[in-house]
Amino acid sequence: MASVSLKNVRKNYGAADIIKGVDIDIADGEFCVFVGPSGCGKSTLLRMIAGLEDISGGTLSIGDRVVNDLPPKDRSIAMVFQSYAIFPHMTVRENLAFGLTIANAPKVEKDAKVAEAARILQMEHLLERRPSQLSGGQRQRVAIGRAIVRKPGVFLFDEPLSNLDAALRVDMRMELAKLHNDLGATMVYVTHDQVEAMTLADKIVVLNAGIVQQVGSPLELYHCPVNKFVAGFIGSPKMNFFDLMVESGDDAGLRISGPALQEFSLPLTGAAERLVGKKLTMGVRPHDLYLSGDGPLKGTVILVEHLGNETLVSLSLTNGQAVIVALDGDTECRVGQTLKVGFPANKVHLFEENGNRVAV
Amino acid sequence: MAQLSADNHGLRLVVRYTVLGLIALIFVFPLVFMLMSSLKPDAQLLSDTRSLRAFLPVGDISLDNYFDAFRRAPVGLFIFNSVIVTGVTVVLTLFICSAAAFAFVFVDWRGRDLVLTLILATLIVPFETIAIPLLLIASKLPWLGFDGLTYGWLNSYQVQIIPFVADGLTIFLFVQYFKDLPGELIEAARVEGASWWQVYRRVVIPLAGPVLATAAILKFLVMYNQYLWPLMVVQEERYRPVMVGLQYFFQLNRAWGEIMAYLSLITVPVLAFYLFLQRAFIASIASTGVKG
């Protein structure tokens, strides 16, 4: 196993900067997830770790070796691709053994390692089949198996579950988590699905436009996002945002008003004076909103989604802004109904105009 | 309504197969004429051309023309020479052009696009324009063979083979095909530790069956039908290929039956080779979008 360290790593294609100086430390045995919207550079970053993309600047180390200029085969990595990338002209057994065959490993060793990988992934009965005779989930399992067989220092996953259907994705997610526990291996995983990121990761790296927005544990990112981007990206349904004006502030807290809000007080004392007169953005997660007769938010129900365990209600506020409220599964609501909604003061996230979290 | 639609469908099929059948006949007629004529004496052959008898095995039928053809010319030697020259050229072409295309598609190197453009530009240069310079070069090139170091490649197998082992069209076919292979397969092999050679041999070539077949057939036809170049560079009978051998039958006492017998003999290998690779050939033409 091995740690991975990126120091001021950059990537540019001509004048276009794709990765703009990334610093990340991934500890030995850690499950690190790169998450971000399409085009944020997360896959490029993973491919740079793999050695499939050149590094324009900075230092990339795996274990205690700088690997900037090493080819993929010398980096002690294995990679699982979104499209599985298993070889269609080989049987499952040949696919699993590919890396060992290339390395001229003895047949006994090859057979033993293939058998072990097949056992771990429960696909002993598939070994003589060709990829065309496998389902999507089985193919992905072969791709993962091929990675396991070589016992690499670092496993790299590039959106491995994106091509699977929803139910299979949940199953495979659990299997990956179990695999990580069993192998104790360092894993770097790229996804645009924040649920995957939250459920699998020891550490999440949120990327946007080639810049690391925040690095932390799933709950750190959820409870304490450093900026509006992270706040909006992590959590499902998405965090609701409201434009605000801080009217006044004193030892008791801030008086706040906004276009779709009744004026209310927020017991935020540390930064009261600095914030008076400022425009801010308030973020509240749908699960932190509740029905309240004297809540500061008032809107008309435009959509009700009964999910069983919870009910997602979309409200249109007086200024037309849409807000999602996650209520108890048994809550009765109908379209057109007017609701008033409140939130606990300690669940409010405040962001300055530049998007950064208000430091208090 | 359904009945009407089924009738229409049936009618369309009849029309389609009738048209296809007619086209097939047009293509098959010359071959049938050649085979039938090869079995007839010259007098009957010429008189039969005025009727459908030309396409039928009727009248005085025998294999005499074949025996006469073998007496008049060393047919076996010519076929042997052509098979050697064609076979070796096809094998070398497949290797060299696929390896070149591999480097153009999968390996990143400076000047790659320029070099590929230059190679593709050679497609528009007719062979006749470079034949004389090529002859001059070939006549002076050194060769290390069983006789030690010699100069001049004229009258040899290599002069018929080496100038043709790489060509723009075959490289283009491979480039087009390789571009359609999923890039992640190549990346997966690289990550698994494969060298470029191993990626080529273990991943790309096993997946390139259809284009290998297409390139093989196209090259086979070009090489087997070579006439101008061997006529220029081969004066000795022992290296002469089949097409140049055809001349033997047009000198003195022209005998059409023998010519037809000779043509039948040299056509059979081509048809056999095509039928052998036909399925892969059609698959590749369909997948590369290139007409043969």
Side-chain angles (χ1 to χ4, degrees):
Chain A
M1 302 306 138
S3 59
V4 179
S5 165
L6 291 85
K7 301 270 180 253
N8 194 27
V9 166
R10 279 172 283 117
K11 173 75 184 174
N12 56 279
Y13 294 105
D17 288 333
I18 306 299
I19 302 292
K20 300 165 186 167
V22 162
D23 294 287
I24 302 170
D25 283 308
I26 302 164
D28 191 6
E30 200 166 37
F31 199 125
C32 177
V33 176
F34 295 170
V35 71
S38 295
C40 70
K42 56 190 186 298
S43 283
T44 306
L45 200 55
L46 190 80
R47 291 168 58 80
M48 288 161 77
I49 297 174
L52 297 171
E53 298 278 354
D54 292 336
I55 296 169
S56 307
T59 309
L60 171 60
S61 310
I62 295 177
D64 48 10
R65 288 187 309 162
V66 174
V67 297
N68 282 32
D69 299 318
L70 289 185
K73 67 187 175 77
D74 297 331
R75 295 190 179 202
S76 183
I77 49 140
M79 187 157 169
V80 177
F81 294 84
Q82 181 178 353
S83 65
Y84 321 130
I86 49 179
F87 306 118
H89 56 293
M90 299 179 191
T91 61
V92 169
R93 181 187 297 281
E94 288 164 342
N95 264 287
L96 293 179
F98 183 79
L100 299 172
T101 307
I102 290 291
N104 282 326
K107 189 175 180 306
V108 181
E109 182 193 340
K110 254 187 343 193
D111 289 348
K113 286 187 171 174
V114 167
E116 190 195 348
R119 182 188 56 76
I120 292 172
L121 294 166
Q122 296 163 11
M123 53 182 188
E124 290 104 325
H125 59 297
L126 302 175
L127 286 176
E128 304 313 324
R129 291 204 197 162
R130 298 222 175 239
S132 59
Q133 298 167 306
L134 303 178
S135 68
Q138 288 169 332
R139 286 180 201 188
Q140 192 54 284
R141 223 171 274 200
V142 175
I144 294 168
R146 191 174 61 190
I148 294 175
V149 163
R150 277 176 42 237
K151 294 204 179 348
V154 182
F155 287 82
L156 307 176
F157 296 90
D158 189 2
E159 308 211 23
L161 308 185
S162 302
N163 286 1
L164 304 179
D165 64 50
L168 204 52
R169 206 177 304 163
V170 174
D171 289 348
M172 283 302 286
R173 211 165 66 198
M174 286 165 54
E175 281 193 38
L176 278 176
K178 184 169 175 300
L179 193 68
H180 179 239
N181 281 337
D182 291 350
L183 299 177
T186 311
M187 295 187 171
V188 186
Y189 187 104
V190 161
T191 180
H192 61 267
D193 180 344
Q194 56 91 25
V195 177
E196 261 173 43
M198 295 289 285
T199 50
L200 286 170
D202 296 321
K203 177 191 277 178
I204 296 180
V205 177
V206 182
L207 285 152
N208 188 32
I211 297 170
V212 173
Q213 303 292 316
Q214 187 171 2
V215 180
S217 71
L219 290 182
E220 269 170 30
L221 267 59
Y222 186 81
H223 291 303
C224 204
V226 295
N227 60 30
K228 196 176 153 187
F229 177 83
V230 176
F233 199 81
I234 299 291
S236 178
K238 256 179 84 166
M239 184 184 277
N240 299 297
F241 293 107
F242 309 92
D243 291 333
L244 299 175
M245 174 68 89
V246 181
E247 300 291 346
S248 60
D250 53 29
D251 291 347
L254 303 175
R255 287 301 293 169
I256 283 175
S257 69
L261 291 162
Q262 281 179 26
E263 195 169 290
F264 69 99
S265 292
L266 204 58
L268 188 73
T269 52
E273 285 176 17
R274 184 167 64 79
L275 296 174
V276 171
K278 274 200 169 179
K279 283 185 183 168
L280 300 177
T281 301
M282 176 179 76
V284 186
R285 296 201 181 277
H287 290 94
D288 294 330
L289 293 170
Y290 54 84
L291 296 179
S292 161
D294 55 354
L297 292 166
K298 183 181 168 189
T300 311
V301 177
I302 53 174
L303 182 66
V304 181
E305 296 169 280
H306 293 290
L307 304 181
N309 63 328
E310 63 181 5
T311 299
L312 298 180
V313 180
S314 298
L315 295 180
S316 175
L317 301 185
T318 49
N319 65 344
Q321 183 186 344
V323 170
I324 296 178
V325 186
L327 299 173
D328 191 72
D330 298 324
T331 310
E332 288 295 332
C333 259
R334 60 177 196 282
V335 173
Q337 189 179 351
T338 301
L339 296 179
K340 286 192 112 181
V341 177
F343 45 82
N346 64 346
K347 296 292 186 184
V348 165
H349 306 264
L350 287 179
F351 303 100
E352 299 192 43
E353 273 189 294
N354 62 9
N356 289 338
R357 185 181 186 86
V358 170
V360 287
Chain B
M1 199 61 191
Q3 181 65 40
L4 194 66
S5 153
D7 285 350
N8 269 342
H9 182 64
L11 190 66
R12 271 205 301 274
L13 275 184
V14 169
V15 171
R16 183 183 301 168
Y17 279 103
T18 307
V19 171
L20 287 176
L22 282 173
I23 294 172
L25 274 182
I26 291 170
F27 281 104
V28 167
F29 267 144
L31 283 175
V32 174
F33 175 76
M34 177 184 77
L35 283 171
M36 293 306 133
S37 300
S38 71
L39 302 171
K40 299 171 184 174
D42 268 18
Q44 190 201 330
L45 188 160
L46 293 171
S47 65
D48 279 358
T49 52
R50 298 187 203 108
S51 68
L52 277 178
R53 290 169 61 88
F55 301 105
L56 299 171
V58 291
D60 187 5
I61 297 296
S62 75
L63 291 174
D64 289 351
N65 288 328
Y66 288 86
F67 294 120
D68 290 343
F70 272 97
R71 269 193 288 273
R72 189 190 282 237
V75 180
L77 175 68
F78 294 161
I79 291 179
F80 174 79
N81 286 342
S82 273
V83 167
I84 289 288
V85 168
T86 305
V88 174
T89 313
V90 166
V91 170
L92 288 177
T93 303
L94 293 184
F95 171 64
I96 291 170
C97 293
S98 63
F102 180 89
F104 284 123
V105 175
F106 300 119
V107 187
D108 205 10
W109 45 280
R110 191 184 290 270
R112 179 174 70 165
D113 293 345
L114 176 69
V115 175
L116 181 59
T117 308
L118 288 175
I119 287 177
L120 296 185
T122 62
L123 286 174
I124 57 171
V125 180
F127 177 73
E128 286 72 10
T129 60
I130 58 164
I132 300 294
L134 207 55
L135 175 68
L136 293 176
I137 294 170
S139 68
K140 296 192 173 78
L141 283 174
W143 182 260
L144 190 59
F146 295 118
D147 310 329
L149 187 65
T150 54
Y151 287 87
W153 284 12
L154 303 185
N155 290 314
S156 66
Y157 285 128
Q158 74 263 26
V159 75
Q160 299 180 71
I161 293 171
I162 290 176
F164 302 98
V165 293
D167 68 279
L169 177 67
T170 312
I171 290 176
F172 174 71
L173 282 175
F174 278 109
V175 164
Q176 290 301 103
Y177 190 85
F178 289 172
K179 276 183 176 170
D180 287 342
L181 289 179
E184 289 192 342
L185 284 182
I186 282 65
E187 290 177 345
R190 297 276 294 149
V191 169
E192 288 293 304
S195 63
W196 283 122
W197 167 248
Q198 286 168 321
V199 175
Y200 169 81
R201 199 181 79 72
R202 292 184 180 274
V203 179
V204 173
I205 289 301
L207 294 174
V211 70
L212 286 168
T214 307
I217 287 174
L218 295 179
K219 196 67 182 186
F220 180 95
L221 290 178
V222 168
M223 292 309 296
Y224 198 75
N225 292 329
Q226 281 278 17
Y227 180 74
L228 176 64
W229 181 249
L231 192 64
M232 289 164 66
V233 296
V234 176
Q235 276 80 46
E236 290 178 22
E237 191 173 81
R238 62 184 176 136
Y239 294 114
R240 201 159 276 168
V242 287
M243 291 306 161
V244 179
L246 192 56
Q247 280 182 326
Y248 282 55
F249 297 88
F250 287 97
Q251 298 158 352
L252 305 172
N253 308 326
R254 182 175 302 174
W256 288 108
E258 287 175 34
I259 292 174
M260 292 302 166
Y262 182 75
L263 289 174
S264 301
L265 284 170
I266 67 175
T267 306
V268 170
V270 184
L271 286 176
F273 188 67
Y274 175 73
L275 290 175
F276 176 61
L277 293 175
Q278 185 189 26
R279 189 180 291 269
F281 179 69
I282 290 168
S284 175
I285 290 290
S287 68
T288 55
V290 175
K291 290 182 182 166

